[in-house]
Amino acid sequence: MNAGRDRAPGGGFDFIVVGSGAAGLVGAISARLAGLRPLIIEKSDRWGGTTAMSGGVLWIPANDAMIAEGVDDLVERARTYLAGLLGPDASERERAKAEAFLDNAPAMARMLAGEGLQWVRNRDHPDYYPEVDGAGFGRTLEAAPIDGHRLGERLATLRGVELDVPALTSDQFGPAVLTKTGIRPAMVGAGIMLRHYRDKLRGRKPLGSGRGLIASLMLIVDRLEIPVCLSTALADLTIERGAITGVVVEHDGQRETLPAPAGVLLAAGGFAHNPALRRELQGFAATWSNAAPDDQGDALVAARAIGADTELLDDCWWMPTLEIGPDTRALALGLRALPGSIVVDHHGKRYMDEARSYMATGRIMREHGAAEHRHWLIMDERFLSRHIFPELSPSSARAAMMASGTLKRGETIVELAAACGLDPAALSATVERFNGFAGAGVDDDFHRGATAYDRYWADPAHSPNPSLGAIERPPFWAAVLRPGDLGTNGGVKTDAAGRVLDGADRPIDGLYAAGNASGSPFRRSYPGAGATIGAAATYGYISAQHAARRRVNAPSD
């Protein structure tokens, strides 16, 4: 099998999937199992999309693993939770999309389990809005780590294949960061590294997180003999009498029309790395996106050209992001919740609970001017020496950031403020006030550490508040923090069947969308860990099921 292009297009397929992330691969698997003959096309010469670069978890309320363990997580509680997140102004269509997600997400995960994907449940992860009625714990699933060599020659074109990192499950990230803080996390960290080197000595390629998930899905794709064409970009959609009939693709500089009598699934992500579209649709071009570099809006452009309506184009899956260098960045996930750090604006003042979900904090940062001005993650030496961060812990990483101007150092808070261009009096007052909160264990300004989510990424061995620690041991450090994102979460407007709608809210026959190519079924919220991939995979499943029932381009209800 050719890892780049399984077979030349021209026949043998009836359903075209655009994109090779979770939405696309699950859509193709679902289509094949439902009797269609899918073809996957991927613009990049690497498959996996942003999913391969992610944590690889899926938010699936009332999933089979929870039921098997006797967890009382009724769908009704999740329905109450989503209703609270959608808000009273949600339209009937938007509520129907959320309802379809709840109805189909467990079935989607069950389908993949039946095809050999081994699910692991994170039992402790809280939902992202614990204050909303219906919020729960342990609704997150992920694929068990696997040996990448099971993919054969397909492994060579996996996005991120070159990374040599341990295959972690999501419940190991926190303890790995805390390895230096106690015996239990030290044992977890040692176990992670021992397994990693043992696997390498045995000739394995351990894959976890997003790479583990997407590799597990590709194993199913290959076993079902679904062709995958890399370096094959979507150029246009073909339409006749209001129905989508196929796609125009570009490969090696040549264009070709591919028929799709059963339909087309747009699963090519959003437009995170298209500055022109972000300027047009979001009003800014300065971005710090962690999405795959090919996330450039091809599906959105093609769909708008044939009359598709859109929604939520001004929003993103926000993620506070460390600015490492001009073209390098890193997620600021757990370090915002750990004791001994704060985030300040360009006036040297705190303005939020730093430990809230990345969606909430990233949006607040954008609204508070962190794209226009440098905001700073303030830390002391104890914070950096006590915790392990690949971006900040190695001295070589710090030296590179200092050389690029994105990391500053000072022997005193006043000296650090001067290095950052901040008002020394303001920063000193901010740190002094925060240190008082740390001693008392209560953040009177923003209530950091008061919720289950805040404490999930904190240090359970630290008291009186696991998320509040004084910033007092020199030298002091400041890293530039930006309102980055995991991708855009708006796209073409869809209904509860995944069908793309036109400006009159009528389905465009034969055209479906899932993942970041479509508007999120959660509107502007991020319900829990894995909500992006969970929704993407579920709507890939829903879309393919509808396309199979529809069969050829004849309208159906």
Side-chain angles (χ1 to χ4, degrees):
M1 179 182 294
N2 185 303
R5 190 162 182 146
D6 291 348
R7 66 182 69 168
F13 52 85
D14 56 13
F15 185 68
I16 294 178
V17 176
V18 185
S20 64
L25 297 195
V26 173
I29 292 166
S30 178
R32 185 71 187 89
L33 294 175
L36 298 181
R37 300 184 305 279
L39 166 72
I40 300 169
I41 63 171
E42 166 58 53
K43 174 182 180 178
S44 173
D45 60 357
R46 297 290 184 98
W47 55 272
T50 299
T51 302
M53 304 165 61
S54 73
V57 298
L58 297 83
W59 189 70
I60 311 291
N63 60 70
D64 287 357
M66 301 180 79
I67 295 172
E69 294 174 19
V71 178
D72 183 18
D73 187 61
L74 301 177
V75 172
E76 190 57 41
R77 282 189 54 78
R79 181 175 293 112
T80 299
Y81 179 58
L82 285 184
L85 296 181
L86 293 178
D89 63 334
S91 68
E92 183 178 347
R93 177 189 61 85
E94 289 170 322
R95 290 193 295 271
K97 285 179 64 173
E99 185 69 24
F101 166 79
L102 289 174
D103 288 345
N104 287 277
M108 176 276 300
R110 188 178 308 124
M111 174 195 74
L112 295 176
E115 294 302 310
L117 194 151
Q118 182 182 349
W119 290 117
V120 175
R121 175 173 168 249
N122 185 322
R123 296 174 175 82
D124 301 321
H125 208 302
D127 287 340
Y128 285 3
Y129 305 87
E131 72 281 3
V132 176
D133 189 20
F137 291 81
R139 291 167 168 166
T140 294
L141 296 178
E142 59 197 293
I146 69 167
D147 177 12
H149 290 304
R150 293 176 58 190
L151 290 163
E153 63 182 29
R154 181 79 75 188
L155 176 64
T157 50
L158 165 65
R159 185 175 295 280
V161 65
E162 68 281 357
L163 297 177
D164 181 21
V165 294
L168 302 181
T169 51
S170 60
D171 60 355
Q172 294 175 323
F173 283 113
V177 171
L178 297 171
T179 294
K180 297 180 181 180
T181 65
I183 295 176
R184 182 178 178 184
M187 291 177 65
V188 172
I192 290 169
M193 296 310 299
L194 284 172
R195 283 191 298 272
H196 180 65
Y197 287 114
R198 179 201 64 195
D199 286 345
K200 291 183 64 178
L201 286 171
R202 293 177 177 177
R204 298 171 181 167
K205 174 67 175 178
L207 297 177
S209 303
R211 295 188 305 165
L213 171 64
I214 207 70
S216 296
L217 293 174
M218 186 57 82
L219 284 174
I220 301 172
V221 166
D222 281 346
R223 184 173 52 76
L224 295 177
E225 298 184 334
I226 300 171
V228 182
C229 295
L230 302 183
S231 302
T232 303
L234 172 68
D236 287 303
L237 295 163
T238 59
I239 186 168
E240 294 179 10
R241 295 187 295 276
I244 294 299
T245 58
V247 299
V248 178
V249 300
E250 186 168 318
H251 176 78
D252 287 341
Q254 301 294 316
R255 290 201 170 192
E256 182 178 0
T257 299
L258 305 179
V264 173
L265 171 60
L266 301 177
F271 54 96
H273 287 293
N274 187 319
L277 280 177
R278 295 198 73 158
R279 189 180 297 109
E280 172 197 348
L281 303 172
Q282 299 183 329
F284 51 82
T287 61
W288 296 267
S289 184
N290 299 280
D294 298 290
D295 194 60
Q296 297 173 345
D298 296 8
L300 175 64
V301 171
R304 289 207 298 179
I306 56 96
D309 201 0
T310 57
E311 59 181 339
L312 302 173
L313 293 179
D314 61 330
D315 210 0
C316 290
W317 301 112
W318 299 107
M319 168 63 79
T321 298
L322 289 170
E323 186 177 351
I324 305 298
D327 300 306
T328 312
R329 59 194 65 86
L331 307 183
L333 187 56
L335 79 173
R336 294 176 291 105
L338 288 164
S341 72
I342 57 174
V343 174
V344 301
D345 62 14
H346 54 294
H347 300 298
K349 298 180 179 180
R350 288 181 72 214
Y351 56 93
M352 65 177 176
D353 168 7
E354 298 93 339
R356 286 186 67 188
S357 76
Y358 42 86
M359 182 71 164
T361 51
R363 177 179 282 133
I364 292 170
M365 289 182 66
R366 166 60 71 174
E367 294 170 348
H368 200 75
E372 295 78 19
H373 305 279
R374 283 185 163 189
H375 288 198
W376 299 89
L377 178 71
I378 307 295
M379 308 158 280
D380 70 356
E381 183 63 24
R382 177 170 50 197
F383 177 85
L384 286 181
S385 62
R386 184 173 171 81
H387 308 121
I388 297 176
F389 308 114
E391 316 78 20
L392 292 170
S393 295
S395 58
S396 58
R398 291 191 222 178
M401 288 182 68
M402 292 184 73
S404 70
T406 58
L407 181 67
K408 304 293 184 179
R409 181 182 185 275
E411 290 300 321
T412 65
I413 292 296
V414 169
E415 185 178 318
L416 183 68
C420 297
L422 300 174
D423 179 349
L427 183 61
S428 296
T430 295
V431 171
E432 182 179 359
R433 181 172 175 81
F434 180 79
N435 286 350
F437 296 157
V442 178
D443 176 3
D444 287 335
D445 288 342
F446 302 105
H447 313 293
R448 175 168 158 183
T451 71
Y453 183 86
D454 284 12
R455 296 188 294 272
Y456 182 79
W457 290 105
D459 182 352
H462 182 84
S463 62
N465 185 319
S467 188
L468 301 181
I471 302 170
E472 57 188 4
R473 181 181 297 176
F476 301 96
W477 301 85
V480 176
L481 197 65
R482 295 294 192 177
D485 62 70
L486 302 174
T488 49
N489 73 341
V492 295
K493 192 175 185 180
T494 55
D495 67 7
R499 296 179 296 184
V500 176
L501 305 178
D502 65 15
D505 272 359
R506 297 171 304 199
I508 299 174
D509 289 338
L511 187 60
Y512 302 86
N516 290 354
S518 62
S520 168
F522 310 129
R523 298 187 79 191
R524 299 183 186 277
S525 69
Y526 201 129
T532 52
I533 301 177
T538 299
Y539 266 91
Y541 169 82
I542 290 172
S543 298
Q545 293 292 309
H546 187 277
R549 290 193 300 270
R550 177 181 170 277
R551 296 184 182 278
V552 293
N553 286 331
S556 70
D557 53 26

